Amino acid sequence: MLMTEKILVVDDEEPLREVLTSLLEARGYLCRAVANGHEATSEIERDGHDLVISDILMPGMDGLALLERVRTRNPDVPVILVTAMHDISVAILAMRNGAYDYILKPFEKEQLYMSVHRALEHRRLVRENKVYQRDLERLVEQKTQQLSRALRELEQSYDYTLEALGGALDARDAETEGHSQRVTAVTITLAKSMGVSGEALRHIARGAFLHDIGKMGIPDKILRKPGPLDGDELGIMHNHCEIGYSLLATIPFLREPAQIVLTHQERYDGTGYPRGLKGKQIPLGSRIFAVADSLDAMISNRPYRKALSIELAREEIRKHSGTQFDPDVVKAFMDHPDEVWTDLHREASAPFRLFQLAGV
C-alpha cells in the first residue's frame, strides 16, 4: 500500500541524514532532511509533517529544544529522538519532555521501521479521536437543541392543558370568571420584582393559575350558593386546598405548583388554613399569591358589591402587612405605581398563554 505520510529528518551529520531518508523512502514515506533545529522549525511551519526524527546532540538548537518547540506549536506531531549516547537519564528526560520514542545509534532497520510505524499509528489515532470528539460535540449540540425545543413544545402543551382546566373551573364558577388569569399576571409581576426567575417563576405561575382547581371537587350547591356559607359548608369549601393538592401532586411537572395550591389560603400570622403555617413556613409563591389574590378580589366587581378603587385596595393590603400578608411582598407591591395593577387587571382578562405570561 502506498504511504503518503511526511517525515522530517533532522541531523547535523549528512551521511546519517541520507541513510535515514533512503531507508524511509524505500518504505514509501515522503521524507525531507535538514541539518539543525532552526531549519527544522522553519520547515515545519512552512510545510506540515506527520513525524519528526531528530538527533539530540546538534549545534545551536539541539534535539531536546526542537522537541519542546514541536510540542508547543504542533502537539499532534510525534517526535522520535536519535542519539549515540548510551545514557538512560537522557532517554528519561526525552520521554518526560514528550518524545514519542528514543532510538540509540547504531540502530537496526527493523527497530527504526517499528518505531516509525508506531509513531505514525499513534498520530493517526490521535487525529481520528479529535475528529470523533468534534463530531460528537456537534452531534451532542444538535441533540441538545432538539431536546430543548421538544421540552419547550411539551411545556407549552402542558400549559394548554392547564388553561383548559382553568376554563373548566370558570364554567363552574362564573362569578369569578377570569380571576385565575388576572391573579396569575399579578403574581408573576410581583415574583419578578422580588428576583424570582426561571423554573421557580414557572412553578409559581402555574400554582397561581391552578390555585382553586380543588373547587372542581366541591358540590355545586356550596360552590354556587348565592348567600354566605354556614359552618359545615365552610368546612367543606376549605377542603378545596387539599383536593387540589391531591389532584396535582402526583403529576411530576406540577409537584412544586401543587405546594402553592395546598397553601394559598395560609396567612402570614398563622391563622390561615389548612395547616396553620406561619411566616416563612409558607412557600414564597403562596405568600406572593396572597397579595395578588386579595388585590383581584377587591378591584373586581362582585354580585354583592362593586369593585373597590385601587387606592382603597392598596390601603387594605398595607393595613394587613404582617398579619395576613408577608411584609416583604407588601413592600414589593407598594413599590409599583397604581397603573401597573390596573393595566394588568384589564389586560389579563383577555385570552392568554400561560407560558407567555410567565415570560419564559
Side-chain angles (χ1 to χ4, degrees):
M1 182 178 67
L2 181 64
M3 294 182 240
T4 58
E5 290 96 341
K6 293 189 290 186
I7 300 176
L8 180 64
V9 176
V10 189
D11 200 297
D12 59 329
E13 297 181 18
E14 184 176 358
L16 187 56
R17 293 199 303 271
E18 293 178 352
V19 169
L20 282 171
T21 53
S22 296
L23 290 173
L24 294 171
E25 286 174 348
R27 296 298 291 260
Y29 298 110
L30 300 177
C31 293
R32 170 74 173 160
V34 295
N36 55 63
H38 293 294
E39 292 183 19
T41 300
S42 300
E43 181 68 24
I44 293 172
E45 290 178 352
R46 186 179 73 254
D47 188 13
H49 290 75
D50 300 299
L51 172 64
V52 175
I53 301 176
S54 175
D55 190 17
I56 289 183
L57 292 181
M58 296 183 295
M61 182 186 295
D62 63 14
L64 292 178
L66 175 61
L67 170 64
E68 182 178 355
R69 184 72 62 86
V70 173
R71 297 298 298 161
T72 301
R73 299 185 180 181
N74 308 86
D76 293 343
V77 177
V79 177
I80 297 174
L81 293 177
V82 182
T83 184
M85 295 175 57
H86 294 263
D87 187 343
I88 192 63
S89 64
V90 177
I92 292 173
L93 179 60
M95 301 303 284
R96 282 179 177 174
N97 286 356
Y100 178 79
D101 205 351
Y102 181 88
I103 300 177
L104 292 173
K105 301 176 186 176
F107 50 80
E108 298 290 334
K109 289 191 299 182
E110 293 305 319
Q111 180 188 8
L112 172 67
Y113 294 151
M114 183 61 69
S115 181
V116 167
H117 174 75
R118 288 199 304 262
L120 290 172
E121 181 67 10
H122 171 76
R123 172 170 168 74
R124 183 185 65 79
L125 292 174
V126 167
R127 296 181 72 177
E128 287 181 356
N129 185 61
K130 283 195 170 185
V131 171
Y132 172 78
Q133 287 293 118
R134 186 168 59 249
D135 291 345
L136 181 60
E137 290 171 1
R138 185 162 50 245
L139 179 61
V140 169
E141 183 179 358
Q142 292 173 351
K143 294 298 183 183
T144 300
Q145 291 175 352
Q146 293 173 2
L147 179 59
S148 297
R149 184 165 56 251
L151 288 175
R152 286 195 300 271
E153 293 172 355
L154 181 60
E155 187 172 25
Q156 290 177 12
S157 70
Y158 286 158
D159 287 335
Y160 294 146
T161 302
L162 302 189
E163 291 158 23
L165 287 173
L169 181 59
D170 278 347
R172 289 198 66 210
D173 190 4
E175 180 181 312
T176 58
E177 184 175 0
H179 167 70
S180 294
Q181 298 176 190
R182 295 190 301 271
V183 79
T184 300
V186 174
T187 299
I188 289 169
T189 300
L190 279 172
K192 285 182 176 179
S193 69
M194 296 183 71
V196 181
S197 61
E199 192 69 18
L201 182 62
R202 289 192 286 273
H203 290 325
I204 289 176
R206 289 173 180 144
F209 188 75
L210 295 173
H211 69 281
D212 272 344
I213 196 66
K215 288 183 178 179
M216 299 288 286
I218 302 300
D220 283 348
K221 66 179 182 179
I222 295 177
L223 187 65
R224 297 183 173 183
K225 184 176 180 180
L229 302 179
D230 62 31
D232 291 340
E233 292 170 334
L234 200 59
I236 294 173
M237 179 63 80
H238 284 183
N239 288 336
H240 81 277
C241 298
E242 301 272 8
I243 294 171
Y245 176 78
S246 298
L247 286 172
L248 303 181
T250 58
I251 303 173
F253 86 104
L254 291 179
R255 284 172 185 158
E256 292 296 326
Q259 294 295 328
I260 296 175
V261 171
L262 176 65
T263 60
H264 75 276
Q265 290 291 349
E266 301 287 357
R267 293 171 56 106
Y268 195 73
D269 61 3
T271 60
Y273 66 89
R275 303 289 172 82
L277 301 180
K278 184 176 182 180
K280 298 299 190 289
Q281 293 177 332
I282 306 169
L284 176 60
S286 297
R287 285 179 270 137
I288 294 172
F289 169 83
V291 172
D293 188 42
S294 293
L295 174 67
D296 186 71
M298 287 186 283
I299 65 175
S300 298
N301 288 317
R302 291 288 186 266
Y304 48 87
R305 64 153 174 82
K306 288 188 176 181
L308 302 180
S309 68
I310 186 67
E311 291 80 13
L312 287 176
R314 288 173 74 89
E315 178 57 26
E316 191 71 11
I317 289 172
R318 185 200 62 75
K319 185 168 64 176
H320 289 89
S321 175
T323 53
Q324 184 175 352
F325 308 120
D326 181 344
D328 293 336
V329 182
V330 173
K331 181 180 183 306
F333 171 76
M334 292 296 181
D335 286 343
H336 288 76
D338 292 351
E339 293 76 12
V340 169
W341 308 123
T342 54
D343 289 348
L344 277 178
H345 187 265
R346 181 179 62 255
E347 295 169 3
S349 295
F352 73 105
R353 299 273 76 86
L354 182 57
F355 68 88
Q356 292 173 339
L357 252 188
V360 290

